[in-house]
Amino acid sequence: ADAGGDIGRSPIRVGVAPVGETTLVLVGQRTHTTATTPYLMLGLYPSTASHPWAVRAGHPVTYTGGGFAPGEQVLIYLNGTSGMPALTTTANQYGSFSVSFMVPFGLKGRQSLTAIGNQSRAATTSGFTVEPYLPSVQASTYGALPGTTLSFYATGFAANEVVEVYLGAAKGQTGKLVTAFRVNAEGAADAAGDYIVPSGVEGALYFTLVGQKSGGTGVAKVDVTPAPGGGQVT
């Protein structure tokens, strides 16, 4: 207050309070005189976004938001609003935040993220889509004789994951596990794994390659030609 006990204009940061009519109470520190003035507490209407909005498991997503109360804790829930939040962060002085996380394996399709201000209870929901892995695979040869050792080429798997190779009697069948290998940091492998074509086999062999983490699958076909003269391979 000035020498006359008056207050001309003084900025006051408003705290978190229920939306609607509320009252500001001024109390003199020495005189304990009180004065009140009403004001309208407006609601918060936050917004959020995911970058990118479509991503494969094992890759990062940055989740940003704004419009929360300055400095409040923000609770972030995955596919719901109950239980423990998947992430927590703190809004800055402008009510904004930015947090990054790695998309876990096992999530598929559309996912929702709900951000709730821990004090204001302001909430908003947005999301992202987890895209499937669609690897490309092929055997080291398209045609082989019994006794030929096959290896496999692959791209498009998750980084550094183990790829299991199954032998099936027809396209699309999983069949029996015959070999496995690990792809590199780019999800690729050259001449990896090995399988010896047994004697007595002829016709098409189909191999289904499955990523252990990503679940991505690819099918490779090899046509087996009978050994000349019907000889047996040992």
Side-chain angles (χ1 to χ4, degrees):
D2 60 20
D6 299 327
I7 300 174
R9 181 184 296 272
S10 181
I12 298 175
R13 183 177 291 275
V14 177
V16 177
V19 176
E21 293 284 348
T22 188
T23 302
L24 185 66
V25 181
L26 288 76
V27 182
Q29 194 173 42
R30 290 183 299 175
T31 63
H32 302 292
T33 300
T34 62
T36 61
T37 181
Y39 69 94
L40 179 64
M41 175 62 73
L42 301 177
L44 295 175
Y45 300 96
S47 61
T48 55
S50 300
H51 313 274
W53 59 269
V55 65
R56 290 187 176 92
H59 292 261
V61 165
T62 299
Y63 186 56
T64 59
F68 291 91
E72 77 170 327
Q73 185 185 48
V74 180
L75 311 178
I76 302 171
Y77 294 86
L78 176 65
N79 297 328
T81 57
S82 60
M84 293 290 293
L87 298 167
T88 60
T89 188
T90 301
N92 61 20
Q93 61 180 325
Y94 305 107
S96 302
F97 71 86
S98 178
V99 62
S100 296
F101 62 93
M102 200 71 69
V103 177
F105 289 96
L107 294 181
K108 298 179 180 179
R110 182 68 178 171
Q111 311 295 317
S112 67
L113 291 171
T114 300
I116 302 176
N118 198 30
Q119 292 176 289
S120 67
R121 306 312 296 174
T124 183
T125 299
S126 61
F128 61 97
T129 299
V130 180
E131 295 185 324
Y133 279 82
L134 301 172
S136 176
V137 303
Q138 67 180 61
S140 54
T141 179
Y142 294 106
L145 294 169
T148 302
T149 299
L150 303 176
S151 58
F152 300 90
Y153 293 79
T155 60
F157 284 98
N160 302 309
E161 75 171 328
V162 173
V163 176
E164 298 173 335
V165 182
Y166 295 87
L167 173 65
K171 185 176 181 180
Q173 293 185 354
T174 300
K176 176 185 176 182
L177 178 65
V178 293
T179 187
F181 57 88
R182 187 180 297 275
V183 295
N184 60 22
E186 285 71 45
D190 294 331
D194 59 79
Y195 173 75
I196 300 175
V197 179
S199 61
V201 173
E202 61 179 274
L205 291 180
Y206 290 92
F207 298 89
T208 302
L209 283 66
V210 183
Q212 274 190 348
K213 293 190 299 183
S214 68
T217 63
V219 176
K221 175 186 175 183
V222 176
D223 290 315
V224 179
T225 302
Q232 295 295 311
V233 178
T234 59

